[in-house]
Amino acid sequence: MRRALDLAAVAADAGEVPVGAVITKGEEIIAEARNAMRGNLDPTAHAEMVAIRHAATRLGQPRLDGCTLWVTLEPCAMCAAAIAISRIDALRFAAEDPKGGGVVNGPRFFSQPTCHHRPDVLGGIGEDEAAAQLRSFFESRRA
């Protein structure tokens, strides 16, 4: 999670919502990304989506069996769907997202009967730091 939090800080410095994501397979980082929606002019360029794309390319396959996604904010419904479709084994996230989350908040994507793959989910890892990054980012935008 440390690397994901560092990537979130890079995103904030670039004017993006501070979210970072890392995908590991065993102890190895196979992909990492930060939010890039504004810079890429791409509404799907959430950190999770970009990391999943990079991991699939690196592994040469669309399924990310045996992989863990570490992300600083609870994934939205779009990202949760991509996590399920890519067959990521485990999801570890820092801060919950009561407004836009799709895992433990909102649609609770993995709990739906139409979801065919449910990763092992654990939240709250690095939550204080991730929440502070988000608060600081949005407070600076309101000032």
Side-chain angles (χ1 to χ4, degrees):
M1 188 61 77
R2 175 74 263 149
R3 181 64 183 142
L5 289 162
D6 292 344
L7 289 164
V10 172
D13 289 344
E16 302 278 357
V17 174
V19 178
V22 171
I23 297 178
T24 58
K25 188 162 188 158
E27 297 296 316
E28 181 184 5
I29 292 176
I30 61 166
E32 58 182 42
R34 63 167 178 83
N35 267 4
M37 294 169 44
R38 291 175 182 263
N40 290 356
L41 303 176
D42 179 357
T44 70
H46 292 197
E48 303 96 306
M49 299 293 286
V50 177
I52 288 169
R53 289 180 193 125
H54 289 309
T57 298
R58 179 161 179 201
L59 294 176
Q61 60 190 31
R63 291 198 174 190
L64 303 179
D65 300 309
C67 293
T68 299
L69 171 62
W70 303 80
V71 63
T72 59
L73 184 63
E74 174 187 353
C76 69
M78 172 184 71
C79 293
I83 291 164
I85 291 166
S86 65
R87 302 296 196 262
I88 289 175
D89 283 356
L91 168 64
R92 304 294 182 250
F93 68 88
E96 286 189 19
D97 186 356
K99 291 182 181 176
V103 177
V104 297
N105 291 286
R108 296 182 173 110
F109 188 84
F110 302 130
S111 299
Q112 300 305 314
T114 54
C115 180
H116 300 294
H117 174 78
R118 292 166 181 81
D120 179 63
V121 176
L122 179 63
I125 303 167
E127 180 176 14
D128 291 342
E129 185 174 346
Q133 286 178 330
L134 289 157
R135 265 192 311 276
S136 175
F137 177 81
F138 287 111
E139 285 171 0
S140 72
R141 297 297 182 269
R142 292 184 195 111

